Amino acid sequence: MTTHAPQAAHTVTLPGSLDEAVAALAAMPAAVPVAGGTDLMAAVNSGLLRPAGLVGLGRISEIRGWQYQDGHALLGAGLTHARMGRPDFAALIPALAAAARAAGPPQIRNAGTLGGNIASAAPTGDALPVLAALEASLIIAGPGGSRREIPVGHLLTGYEMLGPGELIGYVRVPLLHAPQTFLKATGRTGPGRATASVAVVLDPARRGVRCAVGAVAPMPLRPLDAERWVASLIDWDGERTLAPEACTAFGEYVAAACIPDPAPALDGGEPGTLPPAALHLRRTVATLARRALGRALA
């Protein structure tokens, strides 16, 4: 975001390739890349952002599809939610397709992109917990045709940031060929911003369960202890079923890890209690996690 007085965009560049887009950003450090514009235009319309220039990514065909690569899917950052929600993509990465279909009304799904969801890093981004649970990585395009790969979690947590002139070009997702689910709760009926979301991915090859919770913190949360605990209960060589009580316990384990009780008072007094809104959110996360695991194991 700019820190100077708001001003209108002066330059609009429409590159035809990823490297041309990187070069345009390097030449105009104050410019902002734009694909679907669903988050960018909201910031502009509210007066929070007045970019000095725009680099449009809509003509870069190479980042609007996907390909197979060494047991992974290489997804272009320009993939729209609508495209990811189609049956052929759902057969490839079911949880990401479910998140794409839940991303909002049709006008948002038709315009919003996977790369934009990651770059804006809004806590309510529906794709983010799925990518965290899948342990996806990002292919970052930089000046001079350079490419580097980082885990998606590193960008979302601020551990690694995009440098000058860099763009998210692709998302590399492991193809697990195993059950995976995404569920979210909203504050109203129908498509809307998540108040909480949960992605659960089974990884039979590694005998693991991966879970990520979105919208309850600035970045997706991975309850690693809960993952290891529930994975130890699953008969990976059998029918991979769990008793309902175990699924319920998993949900509560996940919720308590993501929305913990207040720390004990420093003076040794009684620990505080969560406010009603936090307790309601914890129950919501527990329900989503229980249902997501149950559906993945079904």
Side-chain angles (χ1 to χ4, degrees):
M1 292 187 178
T2 56
T3 56
H4 50 75
Q7 59 183 24
H10 296 305
T11 306
V12 177
T13 304
L14 299 174
S17 71
L18 193 57
D19 287 332
E20 288 179 9
V22 168
L25 286 172
M28 297 187 296
V32 175
V34 56
T38 54
D39 289 323
L40 174 68
M41 293 312 300
V44 169
N45 291 337
S46 63
L48 296 175
L49 180 64
R50 289 294 183 268
L54 296 175
V55 176
L57 308 179
R59 294 184 177 179
I60 305 177
S61 59
E62 63 190 280
I63 61 172
R64 297 171 63 184
W66 71 82
Q67 57 185 294
Y68 301 101
Q69 187 180 81
D70 301 326
H72 293 70
L74 194 63
L75 312 179
L79 273 171
T80 64
H81 300 303
R83 185 65 190 89
M84 291 187 292
R86 294 182 187 176
D88 58 341
F89 190 92
L92 190 71
I93 313 174
L96 192 53
R101 290 192 292 264
Q107 59 268 33
I108 296 295
R109 298 197 302 272
N110 288 333
T113 62
L114 177 62
N117 212 218
I118 299 167
S120 62
T124 54
D126 291 317
L128 305 186
V130 178
L131 296 175
L134 288 169
E135 297 183 346
S137 59
L138 306 177
I139 308 297
I140 308 299
S146 66
R147 299 290 187 270
R148 65 186 179 99
E149 184 169 353
I150 63 171
V152 67
H154 284 200
L155 183 66
L156 297 179
T157 60
Y159 183 80
E160 293 187 58
M161 304 296 288
L162 294 179
E166 287 190 326
L167 276 173
I168 300 171
Y170 302 92
V171 181
R172 190 193 303 276
V173 179
L175 294 177
L176 301 178
H177 303 294
Q180 49 188 258
T181 54
F182 170 81
L183 297 174
K184 82 173 188 178
T186 64
R188 60 184 178 86
T189 303
R193 291 188 179 275
T195 56
S197 60
V198 173
V200 170
V201 174
L202 301 188
D203 188 351
R206 295 162 59 182
R207 296 177 177 251
V209 175
R210 299 206 291 271
C211 174
V213 178
V216 303
M219 74 289 293
L221 302 177
R222 287 279 303 275
L224 300 178
D225 288 341
E227 292 178 1
R228 287 188 287 264
W229 173 77
V230 78
S232 70
L233 301 180
I234 297 174
D235 179 8
W236 294 101
D237 296 318
E239 297 182 356
R240 295 205 303 250
T241 58
L242 281 179
E245 295 81 5
C247 290
T248 299
F250 171 74
E252 293 173 351
Y253 202 163
V254 169
C258 296
I259 308 171
D261 290 323
L266 295 178
D267 59 4
E270 291 293 325
T273 59
L274 289 173
L279 287 172
H280 175 72
L281 186 60
R282 181 191 275 185
R283 288 192 293 268
T284 299
V285 171
T287 299
L288 292 175
R290 169 177 58 82
R291 290 177 178 174
L293 178 63
R295 291 185 185 184
L297 292 171

